[in-house]
Amino acid sequence: MKTTHIDIDESEIGGHILPGAVVVPERHRYAAQRRLMDLRQRMLRETRMHG
């Protein structure tokens, strides 16, 4: 049986909630989580830079 991992996140932009999800095979879970964390951090930095 193949195992998958689902990572769900939500963001708020202009008062709107934007849900998102990614489904990855278990063997790629660590890499996907690492890249998602990098993306979240980059988005936070850019949001802070632009007020």
Side-chain angles (χ1 to χ4, degrees), residues 6-45:
I6 302 172
D7 194 344
I8 300 171
D9 189 39
E10 59 187 43
S11 298
E12 180 183 351
I13 298 176
H16 300 281
I17 302 296
L18 304 170
V22 63
V23 179
V24 296
E26 184 65 30
R27 68 182 180 274
H28 297 296
R29 179 180 178 183
Y30 177 74
Q33 286 179 327
R34 209 174 58 227
R35 293 188 70 167
L36 285 169
M37 184 57 70
D38 291 345
L39 177 60
R40 289 179 185 125
Q41 289 173 348
R42 191 172 81 215
M43 290 171 63
L44 180 59
R45 281 193 307 271

